[in-house]
Amino acid sequence: MITVENLSLDIHATPILRDVSFVIEQGKVFGLVGESGSGKSMTSLALMKLLPEGSLRSGSAMMDGRDLFALDEAAMCRIRGNEIGMIFQEPMTALNPVQTIGDQVAETLIIHGAATRREAMKLAREKLDRVGLDGARFPLDRYPHELSGGQRQRVCIAMAIALRPRLLIADEPSTALDVTTQAQILTLLKGLVDEEGMSLLLITHDLAVVAGVADHVAVMQEGRIVEQGPTEALFRTRAHEYTQRLFAASSHRPAREPTVQDEVLLQVDSVHRSYALPRRSLFGPSPRLEAVRGVSFTLRRGESLGLVGESGCGKSTLTRAILGLEVLQAGNIRLYGQKEISPRMPNALRAGLQVVFQDPYGSFNPRWKVSHLVSEPFHLMPRTPADARERISEALSEVGLRPSDADKYIHEFSGGQRQRIAIARALINRPDLIVLDEAVSALDVRVRAQILDLLARLQESHQMGYLFISHDLHVVRAITDRVMVMKAGEIVEAGETEAVFADPRHPYTRELLAATPTIPAHWIEGNRNETLV
């Protein structure tokens, strides 16, 4: 349906894409994989002619005998949303926070003159129903902040398919979603391709996602397509050395020799946390949501403990309570087995507990230099250490960065480097326990492998405990000693990580494992010329 030939792109004289060529067939899924910065998203933006200022593009993109690159802006406006739709990676930034979901889905129909406002709202209801947001639970007057991440992504899909485009571009549509929601979104996209006859350009760094969805796949490195072909054939042969490295990184497990000690760092006893919901009537008590119900566990020095579960299961509420940011209705949480964690705990106790967030850029002040960002936890001490500059340099060196990086700003670093800075900030006070909240879920496979190796090395040298919260079961299996599975506020299964993964007892655990995308084993057994870690 679309033929791209020799697409090259420079932005302010910096080469971004070089001689990119591929064909997307009607009714097929074309997967584009590669690391962050390889040019995947720029390729899709070039197709949509949404490139930034200072761009110089060459090549062609033919669709129905028309070269998209030769069309003027008015012609492209008629194509965007009408013949080519796009789903962006982060739905919360792609949606307008002050417009209802009904208005946003209807907007495309109204702008293109496909319907009156009344007809557009009716069609918006149909499209939202089509993506699994039924009218009874999700009326058109809902706002984006009232929906979960997976539900917001469904709204973005409804917007993109409102005019039944011939090509749908999905840029990392499931990266930040838990495994069951991810499986639902991918099934939905595949169903739309089959039922509507549209084509799908799926951009992702997850090889397992591509294996389960794409008919054809291209591997991109530094702005070039280094290998492409039918999905199964490419996965079996992996002719290019870069493809082999991606495969090795996707299944990487860090070399760990855990030395779990008897000292209890974290003790959680029968924790309950509930929230009042809006009243349904003027009379009677307010209903309450039990976010965490009777959770108990311990975490010892030198141990990695995993916590998994889908969105809304209570992981975030429990994490905030462990960090001393939530008031409990019942139970208690203790650090070092005796000192109780609460919002009013002293700074000296809080210094022993640090956190690494999923989005490091969002957790940093962009106006501060790295030296200020990394040293931020010093405010928990009675006074700034005399050797503060040396400790900043040491922390940066420990995470594989240069001491001179302390004088840079956070926007000057890649995603993987920002996550290393976040880890350096967590290390600066030399804590005993680090909570890692989805710390590697947004990273591509090779950077993720590097961060996991780094965490394993730091744990071995500092004898810290890790509470590893993630929806990526592959990561949890690679880095943890024990794992807990959480559903509806309760721990439904817990045990040694390998035992739980090899022989899950609870139906919900089996459901999570079944929803996790995997590369068929017989696809990766055909090439013995490489070592898959």
Side-chain angles (χ1 to χ4, degrees):
M1 188 190 69
I2 285 188
T3 301
V4 177
E5 291 186 353
N6 301 319
L7 168 60
S8 294
L9 172 66
D10 292 347
I11 299 179
H12 295 296
T14 300
I16 305 297
L17 302 174
R18 281 293 174 265
D19 300 322
V20 173
S21 300
F22 58 86
V23 174
I24 303 177
E25 297 181 15
Q26 183 72 41
K28 300 292 185 181
V29 179
F30 184 90
L32 189 59
V33 301
E35 298 176 280
S36 298
S38 62
K40 305 187 302 296
S41 295
M42 277 298 172
T43 300
S44 67
L45 293 176
L47 286 178
M48 300 280 282
K49 293 192 70 175
L50 293 175
L51 294 171
E53 293 286 338
S55 298
L56 180 62
R57 184 199 59 246
S58 62
S60 64
M62 304 301 297
M63 182 178 184
D64 296 332
R66 299 168 296 172
D67 185 356
L68 297 178
F69 296 162
L71 300 179
D72 59 21
E73 181 62 16
M76 282 304 302
C77 283
R78 291 191 292 270
I79 288 176
R80 297 188 197 113
N82 192 14
E83 297 185 55
I84 304 177
M86 190 162 186
I87 306 165
F88 295 94
Q89 178 175 355
E90 178 45 64
M92 195 59 184
T93 56
L95 295 173
N96 188 330
V98 298
Q99 276 192 318
T100 65
I101 61 174
D103 285 337
Q104 296 190 61
V105 177
E107 184 178 28
T108 302
L109 297 160
I110 295 171
I111 287 176
H112 284 278
T116 63
R117 175 168 174 77
R118 176 173 295 192
E119 293 169 339
M121 294 302 286
K122 181 180 179 181
L123 289 170
R125 179 70 273 157
E126 293 176 4
K127 296 302 179 184
L128 289 169
D129 289 340
R130 176 67 186 85
V131 298
L133 300 178
D134 61 275
R137 294 177 55 211
F138 304 98
L140 296 178
D141 59 359
R142 284 281 187 96
Y143 287 90
H145 72 270
E146 299 179 279
L147 307 178
S148 69
Q151 291 162 355
R152 288 195 288 264
Q153 194 64 285
R154 289 172 186 267
V155 174
C156 289
I157 295 173
M159 291 169 59
I161 66 169
L163 284 168
R164 301 181 65 181
R166 297 179 57 204
L167 173 65
L168 187 61
I169 301 174
D171 189 359
E172 301 278 9
S174 61
T175 297
L177 304 179
D178 58 67
V179 288
T180 51
T181 305
Q182 175 180 258
Q184 294 166 4
I185 294 297
L186 293 174
T187 300
L188 171 60
L189 290 173
K190 185 66 174 173
L192 289 169
V193 170
D194 294 338
E195 295 169 23
E196 304 284 344
M198 66 176 64
S199 302
L200 175 64
L201 172 57
L202 178 63
I203 299 170
T204 182
H205 63 250
D206 194 327
L207 295 172
V209 166
V210 169
V213 177
D215 303 295
H216 195 95
V217 64
V219 181
M220 183 168 265
Q221 179 191 24
E222 296 179 353
R224 299 179 184 272
I225 291 180
V226 297
E227 186 173 2
Q228 64 176 306
T231 304
E232 182 176 351
L234 185 143
F235 275 49
R236 283 181 179 275
T237 58
R238 301 186 294 281
H240 197 275
E241 175 264 344
Y242 176 71
T243 309
Q244 296 171 15
R245 294 207 309 268
L246 284 183
F247 268 80
S250 68
S251 56
H252 178 66
R253 302 184 72 171
R256 298 180 64 240
E257 295 183 6
T259 54
V260 180
Q261 302 178 15
D262 292 334
E263 179 188 356
V264 175
L265 290 180
L266 182 67
Q267 184 172 339
V268 178
D269 291 322
S270 303
V271 166
H272 287 261
R273 179 65 170 117
S274 62
Y275 300 97
L277 297 175
R279 289 176 180 269
R280 296 192 180 121
S281 68
L282 295 175
F283 306 100
S286 298
R288 299 191 70 83
L289 170 67
E290 289 284 339
V292 179
R293 299 187 289 176
V295 170
S296 299
F297 64 89
T298 59
L299 192 158
R300 302 181 184 278
R301 182 176 292 278
E303 181 180 33
S304 287
L305 177 62
L307 178 62
V308 300
E310 46 190 351
S311 298
C313 71
K315 300 193 305 294
S316 296
T317 300
L318 179 60
T319 303
R320 288 195 298 269
I322 290 171
L323 294 172
L325 303 176
E326 289 276 359
V327 177
L328 302 176
Q329 274 83 30
N332 62 76
I333 303 173
R334 297 183 181 275
L335 199 59
Y336 309 116
Q338 53 184 358
K339 298 179 180 178
E340 188 166 350
I341 292 176
S342 71
R344 296 185 177 182
M345 65 183 181
N347 284 343
L349 181 61
R350 196 181 290 276
L353 175 64
Q354 292 294 311
V355 61
V356 178
F357 296 101
Q358 175 178 355
D359 178 12
Y361 194 72
S363 66
F364 287 137
N365 187 331
R367 297 183 178 183
W368 289 355
K369 289 185 176 181
V370 167
S371 57
H372 194 166
L373 296 173
V374 171
S375 63
E376 193 174 3
F378 284 158
H379 81 276
L380 297 173
M381 297 182 173
R383 64 185 62 85
T384 301
D387 61 343
R389 188 71 187 185
E390 288 76 14
R391 290 176 67 166
I392 293 169
S393 298
E394 180 185 351
L396 291 173
S397 298
E398 278 196 299
V399 300
L401 297 174
R402 296 185 300 270
S404 59
D405 290 331
D407 296 320
K408 297 180 181 178
Y409 291 93
I410 195 66
H411 71 268
E412 299 180 70
F413 297 90
S414 69
Q417 290 170 327
R418 290 172 189 161
Q419 199 61 287
R420 289 173 184 267
I421 294 169
I423 295 171
R425 178 174 61 180
L427 287 173
I428 197 74
N429 275 351
R430 296 162 188 168
D432 298 301
L433 174 63
I434 295 182
V435 177
L436 298 129
D437 187 6
E438 301 282 10
V440 297
S441 62
L443 303 177
D444 58 63
V445 289
R446 291 216 299 165
V447 176
R448 183 182 69 189
Q450 294 166 6
I451 295 297
L452 292 179
D453 282 338
L454 169 65
L455 291 172
R457 176 171 57 79
L458 291 172
Q459 185 175 44
E460 186 176 344
S461 61
H462 293 275
Q463 281 300 296
M464 296 179 293
Y466 288 155
L467 177 59
F468 212 103
I469 302 162
S470 179
H471 64 255
D472 190 328
L473 301 189
H474 293 302
V475 169
V476 170
R477 190 171 192 175
I479 198 69
T480 63
D481 307 302
R482 289 189 299 127
V483 65
M484 303 180 296
V485 182
M486 195 171 192
K487 180 184 182 184
E490 298 179 305
I491 303 296
V492 297
E493 186 166 0
E496 300 289 332
T497 301
E498 283 301 322
V500 170
F501 275 75
D503 185 23
R505 303 299 177 89
H506 196 276
Y508 178 67
T509 309
R510 293 195 288 269
E511 180 184 340
L512 286 180
L513 291 171
T516 303
T518 57
I519 302 172
H522 62 280
W523 286 15
I524 59 176
E525 290 173 355
N527 191 333
R528 299 296 182 183
N529 296 326
E530 65 197 76
T531 300
L532 292 182
V533 180

